[in-house]
Amino acid sequence: MYLFSRRGGLAYFKLGEVAVELVPPPLAGVLSKRLREGASLVVVGPHGVGKSVAVGLVAYAAAEEGAVVIDLASDTSTFAEYLRLARRAGWAFAVFDALPPQFYAEPEVWSEQAALWRDSCGRILARADYVKRLGFPSVVVLPTELAVRCRSELAGYERLAVEPDAGLAREIFAKNSDVYCGADYADAVVERVSTWGEGVAYMALHAAKALQFCDEDPRRVADGARDAYAEKLAAYVKILYAPSCSKARRFVSLLAYRHLPPHIASQAAHYEAVESRVRTLEKLLSLADKLAGPHREYVKILALQSAEELRRLMRPGWVAKSIEATSGGIYEEVLKRVEEEVRRQCGIVRREVNLRVLAKAFVIVEEAYNDLAKATVALAMGQSPCVGKMAKLCRGGAMDEALINALIHPIRLSAEAPPSLTSGLEYYAGKRAEEVGEKGWLEVLNALYEAAERHRVDLRPFRDYVELALTRGNLITKRLALALVQSAAVAPGDAIALALKTAVELGEDTETLAAKYVEAVGDAGPIYEKCGVECREVVVEVAVASAAKAAAARPCQALRQMELALESAGYGQVVKRYKPSERCSESI
């Protein structure tokens, strides 16, 4: 309260060495009314939009009336003294502000207040509950990313959401600028700072204090305020997420995989531990199937313990939730800037993680074997894989393409414990094609071929069935597989190449398959490697068509395709002698 003052009916705040004339935000009136009615409140919103100023003005006005404002972050003896005074006063309420206004003068110092909430929000809210039992309300002020801490405890608080207010920013600029440059100039500055969607109140203040002459470009003045705002946020983000190198590593990992669902991103931060436990679980589950009696039960107990450890690693922590709660704008840029800084300082090298391992860990821990099989079939039918427990790996009803690829490439994901489903494609989704024999291949191929008439069938989830049918099946099986590859909307390039080879062996027409292969792959090399001179005509056709497709954008690739056509036609020695593609200036 000692930083607030009132002169001539106007409220001021001392921000460092600068006296700031305060503009009461619309929130202040609502806040004062609800506190007097006894409501405990949590004020949440982006940084720099006037949350703390509103609470500070209400607290200062209450103190002027003789009320006691209890600091929930004070030490034990001071807190006890606050309570003693509150009992004697007519009105009192408690306050905790994670980033008070002083933050914008000394960000490194006052970011520790946010760190206090990060580490001790439960203790702070326990104090607030005690104050509430004494008959006094509380107000907690949090930026959006900190509102994920102690969320369950905050559920009993009335939530007041604050949004950026351009009108408030314009008034702040007008009242605090030492140079008057007219309403149009002020509008230009405020319009610029308002485009960033956060920090508008602080940036308007900074621009007002930085302005010296009216011939300065308002955009440049606003950009200077933006840089100052971002610099202060960077100090806060570093203290909040990366105060040490060990925490910085987790921060970097979570930031790298924030586009993935929380259950996967959280595992990525502990990838080595997750990978080790998944391998252990695979061995234990495999061993349990081979044992009987008490030995089997003992192995199952060990598997349950490993699964519980995986569950703990998979559970999204507050950092993952906090990072996920914010996206875009200046704050996003600051996160990336701090990430680069801590990478250099701590020598952090980004780890590549195997998403299949993380997806398998999820399936094992959630016992989602049936849902994995259903998701696999849904992908094959061109439908959403967000079914059952697999929906936890989706956002907005859609699964990330990288995660889909992890589920089906190079072959569909399976766990040691197969699904309990006993029929249909879901049953075969939990089996490898080698396990079920030709009868199983035919069932799968028939089901997919019939579905291709109604759905956009994708063969990638069942590519092993298709490839084994093409290579080891009898004549009927091979022809069914050829028809399926032709009719499917999506087929792996390797499967189409194998289908072309099989079609040549059976004397079947290859025109449709060749066109499909050119569209999907555009490189005759794999066909030439699989089939050689036996597929001469097909290779020539595919190579020339691929060259025509690549000629405009990738001329060297087109030249290489023409070489393949010549090699397949029997002119390999000529190609080797001159090697025209190696002389091409564009890399192939």
Side-chain angles (χ1 to χ4, degrees), residues 52-290:
S52 298
V53 167
V55 173
L57 282 171
V58 170
Y60 183 65
E64 287 180 316
E65 297 174 9
V68 174
V69 180
I70 303 167
D71 182 4
L72 290 173
S74 58
D75 59 66
T76 303
S77 59
T78 305
F79 182 68
E81 181 63 17
Y82 274 129
L83 295 181
R84 185 184 68 80
L85 294 172
R87 290 187 180 97
R88 296 171 57 184
W91 183 42
F93 64 90
V95 173
F96 177 82
D97 191 346
L99 282 180
Q102 303 96 296
F103 163 78
Y104 292 101
E106 299 175 294
E108 290 83 2
V109 173
W110 289 98
S111 290
E112 294 299 333
Q113 188 87 341
L116 178 63
W117 176 262
R118 175 196 67 197
D119 300 332
S120 306
C121 61
R123 182 177 66 83
I124 293 167
L125 292 178
R127 279 187 168 187
D129 287 344
Y130 180 69
V131 169
K132 188 175 181 180
R133 288 196 297 273
L134 295 179
F136 309 123
S138 297
V139 56
V140 177
V141 189
L142 301 171
T144 304
E145 68 278 358
L146 281 182
V148 303
R149 290 289 286 146
C150 292
R151 184 179 293 176
S152 59
E153 292 90 336
L154 287 171
Y157 285 64
E158 182 179 326
R159 186 183 180 96
L160 294 180
V162 185
E163 299 295 335
D165 186 340
L168 176 66
R170 187 177 291 104
E171 195 171 351
I172 290 172
F173 182 87
K175 288 192 173 184
N176 286 279
S177 177
D178 295 329
V179 181
Y180 179 71
C181 300
D184 290 343
Y185 192 98
D187 288 344
V189 172
V190 171
E191 181 180 359
R192 177 69 171 166
V193 301
S194 296
T195 59
W196 295 307
E198 59 180 292
V200 293
Y202 170 74
M203 286 189 280
L205 173 64
H206 186 280
K209 294 300 182 183
L211 181 62
Q212 296 180 346
F213 305 101
C214 291
D215 59 357
E216 295 182 60
D217 184 353
R219 293 174 61 88
R220 186 174 179 181
V221 172
D223 289 346
R226 182 188 193 279
D227 292 341
Y229 171 72
E231 183 181 352
K232 297 179 190 314
L233 275 188
Y236 157 74
V237 166
K238 189 174 181 181
I239 290 173
L240 184 66
Y241 296 123
S244 65
C245 284
S246 60
K247 291 185 178 180
R249 288 186 179 88
R250 185 184 181 196
F251 166 68
V252 168
S253 179
L254 287 170
L255 203 59
Y257 295 100
R258 64 183 297 191
H259 63 286
L260 296 173
H263 290 85
I264 298 296
S266 298
Q267 291 184 75
H270 308 281
Y271 181 70
E272 288 82 3
V274 170
E275 184 179 35
S276 173
R277 283 165 176 76
V278 167
R279 302 303 177 216
T280 300
L281 263 171
E282 286 179 327
K283 293 176 181 177
L284 289 172
L285 292 172
S286 177
L287 182 60
D289 290 337
K290 301 173 184 177

Side-chain angles (χ1 to χ4, degrees), residues 534-555:
E534 295 178 10
C535 300
R536 181 183 297 113
E537 294 181 4
V538 173
V539 173
V540 170
E541 181 181 353
V542 170
V544 174
S546 298
K549 181 182 178 183
R554 295 171 294 156

Side-chain angles (χ1 to χ4, degrees), residues 350-481:
R350 179 175 175 179
R351 300 171 299 177
E352 293 298 327
V353 303
N354 186 340
L355 287 180
R356 282 178 69 85
V357 172
L358 304 185
K360 179 174 281 192
F362 172 83
V363 171
I364 293 173
V365 168
E366 294 289 335
E367 297 183 353
Y369 309 112
N370 287 347
D371 290 330
L372 173 62
K374 292 176 182 177
T376 302
V377 173
L379 286 170
M381 297 299 174
Q383 299 168 356
S384 171
C386 305
V387 295
K389 294 177 181 177
M390 299 299 287
K392 293 182 180 180
L393 301 186
C394 301
R395 283 180 170 175
M399 186 177 290
D400 188 272
E401 191 61 35
L403 198 50
I404 290 177
N405 194 54
L407 294 179
I408 62 176
H409 184 78
I411 56 176
R412 68 191 166 280
L413 181 68
S414 65
E416 292 301 322
S420 60
L421 303 167
T422 58
S423 62
L425 283 176
E426 287 86 358
Y427 168 74
Y428 290 107
K431 300 283 187 180
R432 293 284 175 247
E434 296 91 339
E435 301 175 22
V436 300
E438 191 163 359
K439 181 181 177 182
W441 308 344
L442 279 170
E443 287 190 35
V444 171
L445 296 179
N446 272 315
L448 293 175
Y449 184 71
E450 291 175 4
E453 298 177 358
R454 306 182 304 276
H455 303 289
R456 189 176 181 276
V457 167
D458 185 344
L459 296 185
R460 291 177 300 168
F462 290 96
R463 64 185 299 166
D464 55 334
Y465 285 89
V466 176
E467 291 175 357
L468 278 181
L470 288 169
T471 54
R472 301 184 194 175
N474 59 32
L475 183 60
I476 295 176
T477 304
K478 287 182 177 180
R479 284 180 173 164
L480 178 57

